[in-house]
Amino acid sequence: MENLNQELEYKKMFRLLFDENPISLWEEDFSVVKQIIDKKKTEIDDFKIYIDNNPDFVSECISKIKIYKVNNSSLDLFGAKNKENLITHLSNTFNEKSFETFKNLLLTLASGKTKFSEATEYVKTNGEIFNAIIQFIILNDYKNVIVSITDISEQIKNENKLKIQNEKLIHAQYISKIGDFTWNIVSGKVTWSSGMFQLLKYDFNEKINYEKVNQKIHHPDDLERVTNWLMKSIASKNKPIEPYEYRLVRKDGEIIDVKTNGRVEFKDGKAIKFFGTCQDISEQKGSEQKLKIQNDEYAALNEEYKAQNEKLLLAMEIAIENEIEQQLLFSNMSTGFAFHKIIVDKNNKAIDYKFIKVNETFEQLTGLLAINLIGKKVSIALPEIEKDTVDWIAIYGKVAITGKAITFNNYSEALNKWFSINAYSPQKGYFVTIFEDISNQKFAEEKIKQQNQEYAELIKELTASEEELRAANEELVNAKNSAEEKELQLQLITDNFVSGMIYQVTMLDENTKKFNYVSDAVNKLYGCTPDEAKENPDLIYGKIHKDDISDLIKKEKEALRTMSVLKSETRVINPDGSTRWSYYVSKPRVNKGLVCWDGIELDITEHKKIEQELIIAKEKAEESDQLKTEFINNMSHEIRTPMNGILGFSEFLNKPNLSDIKQKQYITIIQNSGHQLMRIINDILEISKLGTKQVKTIEKPVCLNDLLLEHFSIFDIKAKESKIPLYYKKGLSDINSTIFTDETKINKIISNLLENALKYTNEGFIEFGYKLIKHKGDSNIQIYVKDTGIGIKPEKQESIFIRFSQEEKELSKNVGGLGLGLSIAKENAELLGGNIIVKSEKGKGSIFFITIPYNPVNSEPEKNKPSITKNQVSIKNHTVLIVEDEEVNHLYIDTLLENFDLNLNTLHAKNGQEAVEICKQNNEIDIVLMDLKMPIMNGYEATKLIKEFCPDLPIIAQTAYTVQADKDKAKAAGCVDFISKPIYEKALNEIIKKYLK
Ligand code: ADP
């Protein structure tokens, strides 16, 4: 009981684990597939090559998978409506990749391994493809294969995202001239990203000794300060690290300026990793440098211009003639130069300015032509200036009015150029602007700035997605671990798995139930889906065996009354129509005012079968024990009776003055008792011999006719003593009845059966004989022994063949016997390659049939004398009816007629009444040989009656009476002739010939 509970518990757990598992689980049967593979392996050399080239074979294998069940997660995963849909369209879930996976699974099966897993793809019912890990665990000789399918699409997506991000990063690093490196502080190992390789112009595939390279790549003047910065960064713990600029030396020797950003990773308060990025800022540096130099140059120039202008303006002031000289100066300048006069209002506020002079470079840089400017006010020459966000007139006015020089950079949208502008006033009211196109530097700077910003954003995004991925991965690992754990549990439980289901049913009223839940096993147990069962509870209740319904209802009422557990062993009809035993355990509870039952059903057919077998075995053991006890009692009775006779009458023989008659009587009794004892001993010896299974058959030619006739003559004496007529009917001619068989064994069978027939028949008759039976090319001899005795009850008709068994003990005690005769007959018949059966009706009689193979010695049929049976009347020329109550006489006449070569068919009537009946039914009778003195109806009477409806039929009286009066009487009755008993062959021949037409 404890084991059963435990088992139930396991099964419950298993069902829950299976049905409700978040992972897609399938239970399948691969035994047929395995057989196909194993067969194919014997036919071909290389199985792998074979399945690579024979997709049809693979498809066949797919079609041969038997799916027991799939859980709910599987439906969700594949987006299937229901299980049938999923199972019947299984091949739709395969794409090229899953097909390949299945091929690999077949290879695994072929190798005999019991586990398989692979990452693959499957197709949902809506056509969407998903990534999955499929795992197979093969149990129970391929009959139970547990398959789990884990959807890893999310993981793959994340991996892809990471890959793209990485590619993006590499790309970004490439365009931003950024490389990154990781320095494992604990191991000292340094790794470079591809960007780093690029930055330092090392070959990506090159094997690098980072320790040596570290010395090489750092500018010797910077190495020490870089090392110090690194140490400081590590020591700074969580404080942000300041970017650091220094120089690196490329493989080709070129020196570059780099800026390094870094982050230190800590574990348990210890620095373990330094992650750094390295950006090439040479260009930026270069432009800054250049700009600085240029600015210095400008400043110097400024000074120079100032001095020059002072002179110039002095000259201007003195004489306009100096213009030419000035012009020369302008033209030669490599920077743009423009000379203006400021126009002020009365408040001395600059309101406009006028172009006085521009040089060629100015024209080139600005794209404006001197002729369109000179002498013109800026508001007229360049009207857009007023709309500019910068108030140029005010700025330049200030320079012209205050004499304070300014330097600034300005971007011209119209020209898409950057200018470095220097403005000064050579003379009050005048100002000069000097232009330098710095677009190239500016754009380089701008680009770096923009890239830096992009890069910073990217880093930010990456760090975030790195976190996200790490969390996602952690979740996946956890899920995988718990799935593995569950799978292990599942595997354990699967070993103990027997089908059963869980259900929950609510009683809407006394007669109406509704299932809230039924587990998937309902499919196997009731042939319907859980949804169908929920829809129609009759699909379940209707399957309960009609004889068990009332018991179940009774138990249900009782459980309901006491609100206790219901337990019931009930028969249920399986979907295939067979009957199973189910064990229901269920408990009622009240839920929202209604009674609700939570229960499980377990198929316990196997248990029941074993239980039943045990009961039968127990009964058999008891029975055989009882049989033995009875046998011993019986035997003591059986042996004591003749022994008493022998001992008692031997004693009497000693008596003096014993008369001769008495003496003879006593000796006969002693002899009979001796024979009886002998028979018992023989039976016991025979049965113990048969028990050793050492008995062999010795086949020799045996004439069945002779053998049975011999039995007839022996048993006829006993039959006469009991006043029970014994008849014998032969089925074949002597030649055809000669067969190869074991004579002693046939003797034992026949004598036991005849002995029983005599023993158990008080009135009527006994008949035995045989016939040839041909069936589907097999020829058998069927011997029968028929009696009109007490008969055997139907329930005993099988057991009487078991050793020591008797139908009625008391009766057998009276007639004597150990219950061994029939078992000896049966075992001998089986040794001859045959069998024995009985047909019997209590009170009416029995008929025993023994069938043995027909192995004729003369395989050629007799030419002149074809075998004749009564079933073959049509091939006979003439029919003779022998009316004779004395079987010996009948046999004698029959044998004589057979020897006449007249192709005669014989019929036999045992009395006058039978003779009349046979003649009525058979109009082919040519002659009747009529005995006159017979029981039931004598010959005279019978002849009279036959003559009434068959006046022309010659009836010959056979009589021992030679008295004339009898002859007359017979003639008067209708006999045409007489034949005297004992009948002589010659006389019979003549008389038959005489009356045969
Ligand atoms: P037994 O020695 O008791 O006759 P058998 O093995 O020959 O043992 O027969 C077993 C039992 O079968 C008998 O006890 C009897 O009950 C029943 N039986 C056998 N033959 C006949 C028969 N011809 N008619 C009725 N009952 C028979």
Side-chain angles (χ1 to χ4, degrees):
M1 196 61 199
E2 201 176 309
N3 281 346
L4 185 69
N5 277 340
Q6 207 176 354
E7 206 176 302
L8 287 179
E9 206 48 46
Y10 275 147
K11 276 166 202 157
K12 207 161 117 186
M13 248 167 83
F14 171 75
R15 287 252 49 86
L16 272 173
L17 270 177
F18 190 91
D19 291 341
E20 308 307 332
N21 206 297
I23 288 177
S24 159
L25 292 175
W26 305 55
E27 194 184 349
E28 301 178 1
D29 181 346
F30 269 74
S31 54
V32 179
V33 179
K34 174 69 174 159
Q35 277 169 13
I36 298 175
I37 294 173
D38 287 348
K39 186 163 168 276
K40 189 52 77 191
K41 263 174 67 189
T42 60
E43 294 165 3
I44 42 124
D45 290 341
D46 190 318
F47 186 62
K48 183 167 169 15
I49 293 175
Y50 179 78
I51 58 167
D52 276 342
N53 294 308
N54 289 281
D56 285 351
F57 176 78
V58 180
S59 301
E60 189 199 338
C61 289
I62 295 175
S63 74
K64 288 287 166 7
I65 309 169
K66 206 166 120 193
I67 300 172
Y68 291 136
K69 43 179 177 285
V70 294
N71 68 356
N72 296 331
S73 304
S74 307
L75 296 184
D76 295 347
L77 184 58
F78 284 89
K81 262 187 252 126
N82 55 46
K83 278 164 203 171
E84 288 66 35
N85 193 346
L86 182 58
I87 291 170
T88 43
H89 299 107
L90 186 67
S91 57
N92 291 355
T93 64
F94 278 65
N95 70 358
E96 216 172 305
K97 207 144 176 208
S98 11
F99 197 75
E100 278 308 307
T101 300
F102 191 76
K103 275 178 17 188
N104 291 339
L105 170 67
L106 293 185
L107 287 176
T108 307
L109 290 174
S111 74
K113 283 192 201 125
T114 54
K115 272 187 185 172
F116 173 76
S117 82
E118 195 167 292
T120 185
E121 288 175 0
Y122 282 97
V123 187
K124 294 189 180 195
T125 46
N126 66 3
E128 194 184 309
I129 294 170
F130 66 93
N131 298 85
I133 287 182
I134 184 153
Q135 274 185 289
F136 287 78
I137 297 165
I138 296 153
L139 304 159
N140 193 13
D141 214 5
Y142 301 91
K143 281 203 181 66
N144 289 85
V145 178
I146 302 291
V147 184
S148 72
I149 302 176
T150 315
D151 183 1
I152 53 159
S153 300
E154 253 333 283
Q155 195 180 353
I156 296 275
K157 232 189 265 164
N158 281 338
E159 273 170 16
N160 281 345
K161 206 165 146 192
L162 188 65
K163 222 160 101 194
I164 291 166
Q165 300 281 29
N166 265 337
E167 273 165 16
K168 255 198 196 167
L169 174 64
I170 289 168
H171 186 66
Q173 285 188 346
Y174 174 73
I175 55 164
S176 325
K177 298 183 181 170
I178 293 173
D180 65 66
F181 62 91
T182 313
W183 172 39
N184 187 324
I185 300 166
V186 184
S187 69
K189 206 179 149 206
V190 179
T191 42
W192 288 358
S193 71
S194 57
M196 199 67 190
F197 277 87
Q198 183 126 21
L199 194 75
L200 292 168
K201 299 256 164 83
Y202 278 81
D203 183 355
F204 186 61
N205 297 316
E206 208 172 324
K207 275 238 171 310
I208 284 180
N209 180 336
Y210 289 99
E211 223 168 299
K212 273 194 189 154
V213 161
N214 199 36
Q215 297 285 329
K216 251 171 130 181
I217 58 165
H218 287 97
H219 194 283
D221 295 347
D222 289 353
L223 187 59
E224 200 185 330
R225 71 184 174 94
V226 173
T227 315
N228 287 341
W229 169 75
L230 264 176
M231 292 306 140
K232 214 176 108 196
S233 304
I234 293 167
S236 69
K237 292 259 163 173
N238 292 332
K239 269 184 240 152
I241 297 167
E242 285 293 319
Y244 199 68
E245 287 181 17
Y246 53 100
R247 283 164 297 172
L248 287 176
V249 184
R250 282 181 165 156
K251 198 179 178 192
D252 59 9
E254 191 191 340
I255 297 165
I256 52 166
D257 289 293
V258 295
K259 189 172 176 179
T260 289
N261 267 297
R263 181 165 60 81
V264 185
E265 203 175 298
F266 291 90
K267 195 179 173 193
D268 303 329
K270 256 182 76 182
I272 53 160
K273 248 182 220 169
F274 183 90
F275 173 77
T277 59
C278 231
Q279 184 179 15
D280 178 0
I281 52 161
S282 305
E283 229 176 288
Q284 196 180 356
K285 270 271 175 196
S287 42
E288 269 177 24
Q289 209 71 28
K290 225 166 150 191
L291 219 61
K292 210 169 147 221
I293 293 165
Q294 277 175 354
N295 273 339
D296 288 349
E297 273 173 8
Y298 293 149
L301 217 80
N302 208 359
E303 287 306 306
E304 207 182 308
Y305 292 153
K306 246 183 183 167
Q308 280 177 354
N309 269 317
E310 262 166 37
K311 271 189 213 163
L312 184 77
L313 286 166
L314 207 71
M316 269 175 72
E317 270 178 30
I318 300 162
I320 202 86
E321 290 87 342
N322 279 348
E323 203 184 36
I324 293 151
E325 199 188 321
Q326 208 187 77
Q327 182 116 34
L328 277 172
L329 189 71
F330 274 123
S331 312
N332 288 338
M333 277 172 85
S334 62
T335 47
F337 193 100
F339 186 36
H340 321 80
K341 182 179 169 46
I342 201 88
I343 297 164
V344 291
D345 62 6
K346 47 184 179 305
N347 297 324
N348 207 21
K349 188 178 173 248
I351 48 162
D352 211 332
Y353 58 80
K354 205 156 99 187
F355 286 91
I356 297 171
K357 194 84 194 163
V358 293
N359 73 349
E360 256 175 48
T361 316
F362 177 91
E363 284 183 307
Q364 282 159 16
L365 286 176
T366 60
L368 302 169
L369 288 176
I371 46 161
N372 296 330
L373 300 173
I374 306 301
K376 290 202 175 121
K377 283 186 185 168
V378 73
S379 58
I380 290 160
L382 303 168
E384 307 84 13
I385 197 159
E386 293 201 21
K387 287 181 214 137
D388 202 315
T389 46
V390 182
D391 188 356
W392 295 108
I393 295 169
I395 292 171
Y396 290 134
K398 204 172 167 189
V399 174
I401 293 160
T402 62
K404 246 185 183 172
I406 53 163
T407 305
F408 59 93
N409 293 341
N410 182 49
Y411 173 68
S412 156
E413 212 166 349
L415 299 168
N416 187 27
K417 273 186 181 159
W418 274 94
F419 294 104
S420 163
I421 303 168
N422 188 281
Y424 67 95
S425 173
Q427 200 188 347
K428 211 169 158 61
Y430 292 90
F431 71 96
V432 172
T433 49
I434 299 167
F435 292 84
E436 171 86 32
D437 185 350
I438 55 160
S439 298
N440 284 344
Q441 295 99 303
K442 260 297 182 192
F443 285 145
E445 246 175 33
E446 206 59 31
K447 203 167 145 197
I448 289 169
K449 219 158 113 191
Q450 194 186 332
Q451 280 170 354
N452 265 347
Q453 202 168 340
E454 239 182 66
Y455 178 64
E457 261 162 33
L458 219 91
I459 294 263
K460 221 162 94 187
E461 198 183 319
L462 279 177
T463 323
S465 60
E466 202 177 34
E467 281 306 313
E468 221 175 80
L469 277 174
R470 197 175 295 142
N473 266 342
E474 222 163 89
E475 244 174 62
L476 273 170
V477 168
N478 286 345
K480 192 171 156 259
N481 284 347
S482 87
E484 272 170 5
E485 220 171 90
K486 277 180 186 163
E487 206 170 83
L488 201 69
Q489 270 174 312
L490 197 67
Q491 199 181 336
L492 273 173
I493 297 158
T494 314
D495 291 341
N496 289 316
F497 172 70
V498 180
S499 37
M501 71 166 198
I502 308 167
Y503 60 86
Q504 191 184 72
V505 64
T506 298
M507 292 177 88
L508 301 177
D509 60 53
E510 204 183 332
N511 301 314
T512 323
K513 292 191 179 120
K514 189 168 165 46
F515 284 100
N516 310 329
Y517 173 79
V518 271
S519 62
D520 295 336
V522 74
N523 213 325
K524 194 176 162 200
L525 294 172
Y526 291 94
C528 61
T529 63
D531 287 343
E532 285 166 349
K534 279 190 230 162
E535 194 62 30
N536 180 7
D538 244 16
L539 291 176
I540 293 190
Y541 289 107
K543 292 289 165 59
I544 292 167
H545 196 286
K546 61 180 175 28
D547 295 347
D548 290 358
I549 292 174
S550 60
D551 179 61
L552 191 64
I553 292 174
K554 213 170 99 192
K555 283 186 176 151
E556 199 179 89
K557 277 192 180 147
E558 182 56 25
L560 203 56
R561 194 177 63 77
T562 53
M563 286 310 267
S564 59
V565 177
L566 168 143
K567 287 179 187 172
S568 170
E569 288 182 6
T570 305
R571 279 169 296 174
V572 183
I573 311 300
N574 278 319
D576 67 1
S578 60
T579 305
R580 69 168 181 273
W581 275 98
S582 272
Y583 181 62
Y584 293 100
V585 185
S586 144
K587 199 173 182 228
R589 65 183 157 88
V590 177
N591 182 20
K592 293 178 194 152
L594 291 172
V595 177
C596 168
W597 298 79
D598 303 301
I600 60 162
E601 178 190 340
L602 277 179
D603 181 350
I604 55 161
T605 313
E606 278 307 308
H607 291 78
K608 268 281 177 195
K609 224 193 266 171
I610 294 166
E611 195 180 288
Q612 217 58 36
E613 276 165 13
L614 275 173
I615 291 170
I616 291 168
K618 185 173 158 267
E619 277 171 2
K620 267 198 180 149
E622 281 168 4
E623 200 178 318
S624 101
D625 195 46
Q626 198 185 343
L627 276 177
K628 276 192 191 122
T629 319
E630 274 166 15
F631 166 69
I632 288 165
N633 294 339
N634 212 0
M635 194 156 70
S636 86
H637 165 83
E638 285 296 307
I639 294 173
R640 248 172 242 280
T641 319
M643 278 310 269
N644 283 343
I646 293 169
L647 295 173
F649 285 94
S650 323
E651 197 85 340
F652 289 156
L653 278 181
N654 267 338
K655 275 191 181 164
N657 308 326
L658 201 63
S659 72
D660 271 4
I661 299 168
K662 281 272 176 220
Q663 198 181 11
K664 262 194 189 150
Q665 235 178 9
Y666 293 165
I667 289 172
T668 312
I669 292 172
I670 292 172
Q671 274 177 341
N672 283 345
S673 301
H675 285 308
Q676 201 181 329
L677 202 58
M678 197 64 199
R679 249 201 343 267
I680 292 167
I681 291 168
N682 279 341
D683 272 3
I684 292 170
L685 285 181
E686 171 75 15
I687 207 79
S688 52
K689 217 164 44 177
L690 286 166
T692 61
K693 305 265 175 220
Q694 297 295 319
V695 190
K696 299 234 159 52
T697 52
I698 304 159
E699 296 199 340
K700 276 194 271 183
V702 177
C703 176
L704 271 184
N705 285 353
D706 290 349
L707 185 140
L708 294 178
L709 195 60
E710 218 167 282
H711 277 94
F712 175 78
S713 45
I714 298 166
F715 282 92
D716 196 40
I717 303 164
K718 292 186 187 174
K720 289 224 169 80
E721 278 169 17
S722 321
K723 302 213 165 53
I724 303 289
L726 176 69
Y727 302 109
Y728 159 57
K729 276 192 182 154
K730 61 178 181 182
L732 293 170
S733 66
D734 288 352
I735 295 182
N736 283 341
S737 82
T738 309
I739 58 167
F740 284 106
T741 191
D742 189 321
E743 190 172 1
T744 12
K745 298 201 165 48
I746 298 261
N747 276 335
K748 275 177 195 147
I749 299 167
I750 306 296
S751 57
N752 273 308
L753 292 179
L754 285 173
E755 218 161 273
N756 279 348
L758 277 169
K759 240 174 18 180
Y760 299 108
T761 308
N762 301 319
E763 56 182 15
F765 66 93
I766 296 166
E767 182 186 305
F768 74 108
Y770 70 94
K771 49 186 169 180
L772 178 65
I773 292 190
K774 288 188 176 171
H775 180 66
K776 287 186 184 167
D778 272 354
S779 297
N780 285 306
I781 291 285
Q782 189 186 61
I783 305 171
Y784 67 94
V785 178
K786 183 181 168 189
D787 65 49
T788 54
I790 59 167
I792 305 152
K793 286 186 240 168
E795 64 270 25
K796 288 282 178 179
Q797 287 176 10
E798 218 172 304
S799 67
I800 49 169
F801 292 102
I802 297 168
R803 293 171 179 197
F804 309 121
S805 71
Q806 293 171 317
E807 192 193 352
E808 283 170 63
K809 294 290 144 200
E810 278 316 301
L811 181 99
S812 302
K813 226 175 205 167
N814 294 338
V815 293
L818 289 169
L820 290 176
L822 285 182
S823 53
I824 290 172
K826 182 174 192 264
E827 283 170 56
N828 277 308
E830 282 165 3
L831 281 171
L832 292 177
N835 61 48
I836 182 167
I837 54 163
V838 65
K839 283 190 178 152
S840 179
E841 205 177 320
K842 193 75 191 159
K844 287 218 167 137
S846 319
I847 174 158
F848 287 84
F849 292 99
I850 305 104
T851 310
I852 55 165
Y854 177 60
N855 297 321
V857 175
N858 304 294
S859 46
E860 287 286 308
E862 288 168 78
K863 283 187 193 100
N864 300 332
K865 264 189 143 188
S867 78
I868 296 152
T869 68
K870 287 188 178 141
N871 303 334
Q872 294 168 307
V873 173
S874 54
I875 61 159
K876 287 292 203 173
N877 288 339
H878 300 285
T879 303
V880 178
L881 172 65
I882 307 165
V883 188
E884 174 62 71
D885 65 325
E886 201 52 66
E887 184 63 14
V888 184
N889 294 340
H890 159 242
L891 282 175
Y892 175 71
I893 298 168
D894 200 35
T895 316
L896 289 180
L897 290 174
E898 205 174 286
N899 290 338
F900 287 165
D901 263 354
L902 288 171
N903 244 3
L904 293 173
N905 175 36
T906 59
L907 297 172
H908 180 205
K910 286 166 239 151
N911 55 49
Q913 196 179 326
E914 265 190 38
V916 176
E917 287 303 311
I918 291 173
C919 285
K920 262 189 194 159
Q921 288 161 16
N922 202 326
N923 54 11
E924 284 181 353
I925 298 168
D926 297 294
I927 294 175
V928 179
L929 292 174
M930 179 75 78
D931 189 16
L932 294 174
K933 200 169 160 266
M934 284 182 300
I936 303 174
M937 184 188 283
N938 64 31
Y940 307 107
E941 226 172 300
T943 304
K944 257 190 235 163
L945 289 172
I946 293 168
K947 276 289 167 182
E948 278 175 20
F949 58 84
C950 253
D952 298 333
L953 184 61
I955 299 173
I956 297 154
Q958 34 153 334
T959 171
Y961 316 114
T962 41
V963 192
Q964 191 56 42
D966 286 345
K967 283 187 184 174
D968 292 344
K969 202 175 165 189
K971 217 173 183 167
C975 289
V976 284
D977 215 331
F978 312 92
I979 184 155
S980 306
K981 280 183 176 175
I983 296 169
Y984 294 105
E985 193 175 338
K986 205 174 153 229
L988 184 66
N989 197 322
E990 277 169 8
I991 209 162
I992 291 288
K993 275 185 182 159
K994 185 174 163 191
Y995 292 99
L996 270 186
K997 282 162 221 153

